[in-house]
Amino acid sequence: MALPIQIVPSVLPCDFARLGAEIEALDAAGVDAFQWDVMDGQFVPNLTFGPDVIAAARRHTAKPFEAHLMVLTPDVMAARYVEAGCSRLIVHAEACPHLHRTLGNIASLGATPAVALNPHTPVSAVDHVLDLVDLVLVMTVNPGFGGQSYIASMEHKVSELRDLIGRRGLSTQVNIEVDGGIGPTTIAGAAAAGANVLIAGTALFRDPEGLEHAVSDLRARAETARLAD
Ligand code: DX5
């Protein structure tokens, strides 16, 4: 049984002056969880959410929070984001010289460990930690900002990762997530390649028919693409 398609908003494009209301609207629109793009201005050239912002948003939905830690020091920050209400922490392989230990530390905090790969980073970087994670994030843009163009060549990487996960017998345990430029014209390729967790930011807010339509349309496109594969 394949892992279910999940449509997960990036909080990055939200109106930060109305964050609680935006979270409630996305929840009502049918998203499956929320992704907080945490950026430290070092690992990526942007600075975003501290743990207190996430903690303040926590009461506005019962759906899971995941923190995408685009930071140089995930070991230092992890506990604060778990305390803020994130049940999954995604660290970048490129920021973790001791990735195996970092993922184990996240699990010891009571959160679910996950790992992200920048576009240039090969799938082999996660070969020896797949047993420690429930998700691998294949970035389909270079991290740092929303609204960028989808890097379609990452679909080969998603398929390579799907094959590796399958060879390890982990197809029902390890999700494949994509993040960046996911919208009506790109989601089918990502889903057909093997992604089941699809992060959308800009595309959700650009749909002229509103958030609920955006979520259901993206979900339908992903489901159809996967069936056709
Ligand atoms: C990049 C960010 C974006 C954001 C979603 O570091 O992680 O990928 O979540 O971006 P868009 O607006 O392209 O969906």
Side-chain angles (χ1 to χ4, degrees):
M1 181 69 180
L3 292 170
I5 291 286
Q6 295 182 47
I7 303 298
V8 178
S10 161
V11 178
L12 208 53
C14 287
D15 176 355
F16 297 158
R18 301 175 51 251
L19 196 50
E22 297 268 80
I23 296 291
E24 291 173 9
L26 285 163
D27 185 336
V31 301
D32 295 296
F34 292 83
Q35 184 182 90
W36 294 86
D37 285 309
V38 176
M39 302 181 189
D40 65 359
Q42 300 293 323
F43 183 70
V44 292
N46 196 356
L47 192 59
T48 59
F49 310 105
D52 292 347
V53 172
I54 297 173
R58 186 61 275 179
R59 67 178 181 274
H60 289 277
T61 179
K63 291 179 178 173
F65 282 1
E66 66 178 32
H68 175 192
L69 297 177
M70 290 166 274
V71 302
L72 276 184
T73 57
D75 290 303
V76 173
M77 297 186 173
R80 292 287 313 278
Y81 283 90
V82 175
E83 289 157 17
C86 297
S87 51
R88 177 186 287 134
L89 298 190
I90 307 171
V91 297
H92 269 266
E94 304 87 356
C96 298
H98 302 289
L99 179 60
H100 192 281
R101 180 187 296 148
T102 296
L103 294 169
N105 288 344
I106 290 168
S108 67
L109 291 168
T112 302
V115 57
L117 300 174
N118 281 335
H120 75 287
T121 306
V123 165
S124 59
V126 298
D127 195 349
H128 300 292
V129 295
L130 284 177
D131 57 317
L132 300 180
V133 300
D134 87 324
L135 180 143
V136 178
L137 165 52
V138 176
M139 290 302 294
T140 45
V141 295
N142 286 293
F145 300 91
Q148 300 181 83
S149 297
Y150 177 73
I151 304 173
S153 61
M154 291 298 108
E155 290 174 8
H156 297 299
K157 186 169 162 183
V158 170
S159 295
E160 186 186 341
L161 176 62
R162 175 182 59 183
D163 295 348
L164 174 61
I165 290 169
R167 289 197 303 275
R168 288 275 188 283
L170 297 170
S171 298
T172 59
Q173 287 124 272
V174 180
N175 294 275
I176 300 177
E177 181 174 289
V178 290
D179 177 2
I182 299 299
T185 62
T186 59
I187 195 166
N196 69 291
V197 183
L198 302 123
I199 303 293
T202 307
L204 291 179
F205 293 91
R206 276 193 180 148
D207 189 321
E209 296 187 55
L211 286 175
E212 188 167 357
H213 176 268
V215 173
S216 58
D217 178 60
L218 288 178
R219 190 184 306 280
R221 290 173 187 269
E223 296 281 10
T224 302
R226 192 158 71 161
L227 286 174
D229 181 42

